[in-house]
Amino acid sequence: MAVPDWPTTFGYNMFLYPWSKMIGAVFYEHSHRLFASFVGLLTIALAVAFWLRERRAWLRWLGVVALGLVITQGILGGLRVVLLESTLAILHACFAQAFFALTVSLALFTSREWRRDTVEAPIADGGRLGRLATITTALIYIQVVFGAVLRHSGERLDAHLFFAALVAVHVILLLWRVTKHHGANLKLVRSAYGLGILLLLQLLLGAGSYLAKFTILLRLPIDMIVILTTTHLIVGAVMLVTSLALSLRSYRLSAAVRRAIGSTALTEQYSL
């Protein structure tokens, strides 16, 4: 909130604001605007590239959805500055995580792994694993929402802690299921272990962030508090997309098994 106007910056065109005046909190706020604009431009280029080059229609439309999300995100951020509404700040934070999750999904869908016709090491119970991972992803996102509420209003600590416990339980279940039943699939195992490590780090960062920001038990300089809470936010975002990628891969591996079974059944039918 160091810059009071939008879409201008202290009356300047956003892209023409003098670098010499970007000091203190203004540096962080104005840099945020410039990076956001750059992300918006990249998303426009991505949507256009999808529409021109991508053969999968559903993926072209996902590019359009990503463009709509980033535009909405920019408008919410600007209105937050102009109207000084904490509700808009919460929505801004939630849309940011949704947009990040969607762009990671787009990266996965356009990867070599996803574009191959054949799938290496398909799994028979990928549907179960996918459902568990999807529930975990949904819980992490709800946790992100209550984290935004707590960060911007100081309220709903109870809900934040409750969903933190649910996330922890589901991550442990997910890690157990992957290591027990799918230990040979390195991508699933790495994602599951990565999610477990991120969970431990996130719990430590969350406890430190709360003690530093809302109590007097942990006295830290303001810069350290900002770094601590921002790192907590970043780790939460990485947990969200890691769980999402695990969900998508599980369903893809399960779909490969169903296709193989269907092909085998069809072959046997014709052979008879």
Side-chain angles (χ1 to χ4, degrees):
M1 305 306 296
V3 180
D5 55 330
W6 179 85
T8 56
T9 299
F10 294 109
Y12 287 87
N13 179 294
M14 184 193 306
F15 303 104
L16 300 179
Y17 186 71
W19 286 88
S20 60
K21 295 186 178 183
M22 289 176 59
I23 56 176
V26 175
F27 170 79
Y28 295 108
E29 172 62 24
H30 189 64
S31 298
H32 176 70
R33 294 185 180 192
L34 293 179
F35 275 110
S37 300
F38 183 58
V39 170
L41 291 173
L42 287 177
T43 308
I44 293 172
L46 180 68
V48 171
F50 274 179
W51 207 257
L52 294 177
R53 302 293 299 275
E54 180 56 55
R55 290 178 296 176
R56 293 168 288 181
W58 61 270
L59 194 50
R60 292 200 299 268
W61 283 109
L62 271 185
V64 174
V65 172
L67 180 58
L69 273 178
V70 80
I71 292 172
T72 304
Q73 173 72 351
I75 293 172
L76 286 172
L79 292 178
R80 157 63 170 155
V81 171
V82 175
L83 301 179
L84 301 175
E85 286 284 345
S86 59
T87 302
L88 290 173
I90 295 169
L91 290 174
H92 186 58
C94 296
F95 267 83
Q97 299 280 5
F99 173 74
F100 180 46
L102 179 55
T103 54
V104 169
S105 300
L106 293 176
L108 188 59
F109 294 149
T110 54
S111 65
R112 289 184 178 179
E113 168 194 353
W114 212 269
R115 297 179 73 91
R116 284 199 299 261
D117 293 330
T118 57
V119 177
E120 296 179 3
I123 55 179
D125 67 337
R128 261 185 216 175
L129 179 62
R131 285 191 292 273
L132 177 59
T134 299
I135 293 171
T136 305
T137 304
L139 290 173
I140 293 173
Y141 187 76
I142 296 172
Q143 171 72 345
V144 165
V145 172
F146 282 113
V149 172
L150 178 63
R151 186 167 62 254
H152 291 288
S153 68
E155 300 176 353
R156 299 318 309 261
L157 173 64
D158 54 345
H160 192 56
L161 293 176
F162 176 71
F163 277 96
L166 287 180
V167 168
V169 170
H170 279 76
V171 168
I172 292 170
L173 289 174
L174 196 56
L175 179 59
W176 172 81
R177 186 167 192 84
V178 170
T179 53
K180 182 178 181 180
H181 299 286
H182 311 291
N185 193 306
L186 290 180
K187 288 185 178 178
L188 294 181
V189 170
R190 288 169 183 166
S191 295
Y193 273 113
L195 200 55
I197 293 170
L198 287 169
L199 172 66
L200 293 176
L201 179 60
Q202 183 72 334
L203 292 174
L204 291 173
L205 289 169
S209 298
Y210 179 79
L211 292 175
K213 191 172 182 179
F214 296 107
T215 74
I216 59 173
L217 298 177
L218 187 61
R219 298 180 181 274
L220 295 174
I222 185 63
D223 289 344
M224 286 300 300
I225 295 176
V226 170
I227 292 173
L228 191 61
T229 55
T230 302
T231 305
H232 182 56
L233 177 64
I234 292 171
V235 173
V238 176
M239 283 187 67
L240 176 66
V241 298
T242 302
S243 182
L244 176 61
L246 184 55
S247 304
L248 295 173
R249 283 196 172 104
S250 299
Y251 282 121
R252 176 169 167 77
L253 293 172
S254 178
V257 171
R258 290 196 298 271
R259 286 196 300 269
I261 293 174
S263 177
T264 302
L266 188 61
T267 302
E268 291 177 353
Q269 183 179 5
Y270 276 105
S271 64
L272 292 175

